[in-house]
Amino acid sequence: MADPDHRLIALQERKNITQQLIERPYSCITYIARAIFYGKLGYPDLALGDAYRALLLTDEIEDESFEYHEQALQSYIEDVAEGDPLGGLLVKPTPEEINNENPETLDGCRAENSSDKDSDPAIGDNIKKLRLKCFACLSDFLCQCGCLSSANDFVERGLQIDSGNPILLDHRRSIIQIYDKKLLEEDSNRTYWTYDPWEELPKQGYARRELYPWNDHEPNRCSEESLPFLNQEMSKVAPKCEVRAVSLPILQSSSTLSMTLPKPPATMKQLGVFAKEDIAPHETLLQESSLLTANNRLHDPLCDACSAPLPPISALQEPLPTCPECDDIIFCSEFCYTQATNLYHPAVCGKPDLEAIAKDPTPLAATNALYLLLLGRTYALAETQNIHPLDLSETKYLWGDFTPPSLPEQEQQHARQLPFTFEDNILAPLHLLLKMDIDIFASLARTDTWIISTLFAKFRGVASARMNPRTGMPEVCAVHPMWCLANHSCAPNVKWEWSGDIKFEARGGDDVVQWGGDGGKEGGIKKGEEVLNHYCDVDLRVKERREWAAGALGGDCVCERCMWEEAEEKKAGRNVGEAQGTELVERA
């Protein structure tokens, strides 16, 4: 697929099949077809989204009490009548079914569990075949993503329908072989092992962090059109600052650096924030509010809009504004109430099923719960304002540390990866959207899996978080579009604080990060200097700082301080080695 002509053909084919889904959004068969196509392109994560939607549609076809039953059943009949795109997998319906002349018969033929399924075995058998195809796709693509536990789950679910299915049995063997190979790589001396697949197989894998070539919502952030707009927005929150295009190094992880790969381009064009005039030590240079916030505590006293702590009742002269249609939705001010009412709350108002989603998670699930809740707030903003979620002012100019656009078969040498699990990246987002009463089939143009993946990549790259001081867990997070334009350094010249609004304060005095042995770093920011933020605890050693910041940066930090300290540690290590060698010689 490296051939440009083949690439264009593939992209056109994807466009065509996606258009078919836009026109017939409840077509189980077309979702399966696009899943298979995505698999061939090397996007197993996107294939999973389609395969799972297809599986949901098999339920819609068979159960007349489901919300989209009539649409899914009609699409199924039309698809099979026009020809089986899955290679002779299905039985063609009768003319009566095609013309919908016998709806009672159709309604009696859902699937295995329907009491009337025997009235038309062809439809019931087709639903069974479609389900098995979905399970085969799901288990295959989950294996490709490295999510072996979830792959095994779908294999077992499929084998409950057809215990002798050769494809699923082959997938079961492949899962065990992949995991056995992994164990052997970890310990080459092991000759045998036993384990419980339900407990020990890994759930988390990875997907490409992709700026998809068909994503026409991503702006050129450094263009003559974008920069004036960004500077206009920056002037509202940071009057002494401006946005400029800068060249940044393309970062690599330690594992990538150890591979024998062609040397990547040295730099890439990005954005940075610069001082337009001198900024004094301890001066606040940026103050920005945001509605793209989330908290994962069920009943914490926080403003629903900005996530600021609510004032104590004893300090209130009059009650705080609340939503009359919702329980426990409180705002810290009339401003936040008005903003919420105009911009996002109508999309979630009066929907109690949303209240507990991703709330009070386990410590290991806390971070992903916040990303899911940010996704929910994004779709609430988009639905209320009738804007595509990638075109919102809160998301449009965020950078998700994407791999440069290309088809995966080109195997770009320095691809970024996005942590991926079936539960976090496929199941939970679709469940959330359904609870928001968003039709995940008819709204494909706004809820497609690649859109959700793009948003997750952006959140992981720029979201800030507040930790619970007692547990150390992230409990509140937000995206501030101007704040996140400041680039990272392990010797930052600002510090930040977030409580409702987020603020940059120029470092000064004891706040100035000292490194390099000179002890003479000055505070404040001079006119023309870049404003440098920090994505990690700057008091950590270089190795720990890099590990902490790698998720947001997309690789190991190569700021001036990190490079100097790495060199010093290597020098110290050589000196220790030389001293140990001298000692051994003397002992000999």
Side-chain angles (χ1 to χ4, degrees), residues 283-299:
E283 180 180 350
T284 297
L285 58 138
L286 177 145
Q287 184 170 352
E288 182 181 12
S289 61
S290 176
L291 292 176
L292 188 45
T293 67
N295 83 85
N296 59 23
R297 309 306 300 168
L298 185 55
H299 294 298

Side-chain angles (χ1 to χ4, degrees), residues 167-399:
I167 297 176
L168 292 172
L169 290 172
D170 183 60
H171 288 179
R172 177 195 270 174
R173 287 188 292 270
S174 295
I175 292 168
I176 300 303
Q177 290 170 0
I178 292 169
Y179 192 56
D180 284 351
K181 182 180 178 181
K182 179 178 182 293
L183 293 177
L184 188 61
E185 290 173 350
E186 294 174 352
D187 184 358
S188 59
N189 294 322
R190 297 181 69 169
T191 55
Y192 70 93
W193 41 76
T194 59
Y195 52 85
D196 181 355
W198 298 104
E199 297 295 333
E200 296 187 33
L201 291 175
K203 289 186 177 181
Q204 179 173 301
Y206 293 91
R208 287 172 61 89
R209 202 164 180 157
E210 183 85 1
L211 181 54
Y212 300 102
W214 54 82
N215 179 1
D216 56 5
H217 298 275
E218 194 71 23
N220 179 350
R221 305 192 317 149
C222 301
S223 69
E224 294 181 359
E225 294 77 20
S226 295
L227 281 173
F229 170 79
L230 291 171
N231 274 308
Q232 181 180 0
E233 295 300 302
M234 182 63 74
S235 67
K236 300 174 184 177
V237 299
K240 291 187 177 182
C241 296
E242 64 179 349
V243 182
R244 299 181 191 171
V246 296
S247 293
L248 296 179
I250 295 179
L251 303 180
Q252 303 174 57
S253 66
S254 299
S255 59
T256 303
L257 287 169
S258 65
M259 300 169 64
T260 56
L261 297 174
K263 186 177 180 180
T267 62
M268 65 187 303
K269 200 171 184 181
Q270 281 292 352
L271 298 176
V273 179
F274 290 79
K276 294 194 294 185
E277 54 188 275
D278 290 349
I279 298 171
H282 306 298
E283 180 180 350
T284 297
L285 58 138
L286 177 145
Q287 184 170 352
E288 182 181 12
S289 61
S290 176
L291 292 176
L292 188 45
T293 67
N295 83 85
N296 59 23
R297 309 306 300 168
L298 185 55
H299 294 298
D300 268 15
L302 300 173
C303 174
D304 187 73
C306 70
S307 289
L310 297 175
I313 296 177
S314 60
L316 296 176
Q317 296 181 347
E318 57 185 48
L320 292 171
T322 62
C323 173
E325 304 296 328
C326 301
D327 295 331
D328 300 323
I329 299 298
I330 307 174
F331 303 93
C332 68
S333 65
E334 285 293 337
F335 174 78
C336 277
Y337 173 74
T338 302
Q339 289 284 93
T341 302
N342 292 336
L343 298 177
Y344 77 84
H345 189 65
V348 295
C349 185
K351 297 172 183 174
D353 289 345
L354 286 170
E355 183 178 355
I357 291 178
K359 298 291 185 172
D360 295 337
T362 64
L364 289 177
T367 299
N368 286 335
L370 288 173
Y371 290 137
L372 177 64
L373 292 168
L374 283 178
L375 184 77
R377 177 60 62 86
T378 299
Y379 273 97
L381 288 162
E383 289 294 302
T384 300
Q385 300 174 56
N386 193 26
I387 298 174
H388 192 283
L390 293 178
D391 288 334
L392 290 165
S393 60
E394 291 87 351
T395 61
K396 187 176 182 69
Y397 294 94
L398 303 179
W399 179 247

Side-chain angles (χ1 to χ4, degrees), residues 128-129 131-140 143 151-176:
K128 175 181 175 180
K129 290 177 180 178
R131 275 216 179 95
L132 288 170
K133 188 69 174 178
C134 290
F135 288 135
C137 287
L138 287 163
S139 57
D140 182 18
C143 271
N152 188 61
D153 179 27
F154 283 111
V155 165
E156 297 305 321
R157 288 175 62 182
L159 290 176
Q160 289 178 9
I161 298 175
D162 180 5
S163 61
N165 186 278
I167 297 176
L168 292 172
L169 290 172
D170 183 60
H171 288 179
R172 177 195 270 174
R173 287 188 292 270
S174 295
I175 292 168
I176 300 303

Side-chain angles (χ1 to χ4, degrees), residues 424-537:
D424 292 327
N425 295 70
I426 303 295
L427 183 61
L430 293 182
H431 174 71
L432 175 69
L433 294 174
L434 286 169
K435 292 300 182 182
M436 291 177 66
D437 292 335
I438 295 175
D439 185 337
I440 61 171
F441 307 108
S443 65
L444 184 68
R446 292 186 178 184
T447 64
D448 211 341
T449 304
W450 71 266
I451 299 169
I452 295 172
S453 295
T454 298
L455 288 168
F456 276 145
K458 292 190 174 201
F459 298 156
R460 285 185 175 273
V462 303
S464 57
R466 284 207 310 262
M467 304 293 184
N468 183 307
R470 181 175 56 84
T471 65
M473 286 175 50
E475 291 187 344
V476 187
C477 70
V479 171
H480 295 85
M482 296 296 107
W483 172 88
C484 70
L485 293 179
N487 290 311
H488 166 81
S489 171
C490 292
N493 51 19
V494 296
K495 61 181 182 179
W496 58 274
E497 178 184 358
W498 173 41
S499 181
D501 291 348
I502 199 165
K503 299 177 182 179
F504 271 152
E505 179 186 311
R507 288 179 179 258
D510 294 338
D511 292 331
V512 176
V513 178
Q514 304 295 337
W515 64 276
D518 58 14
K521 305 295 183 186
E522 297 180 358
I525 306 171
K526 300 297 184 184
K527 178 180 178 180
E529 288 183 350
E530 185 172 5
V531 175
L532 296 173
N533 193 4
H534 58 102
Y535 302 162
C536 63
D537 183 347

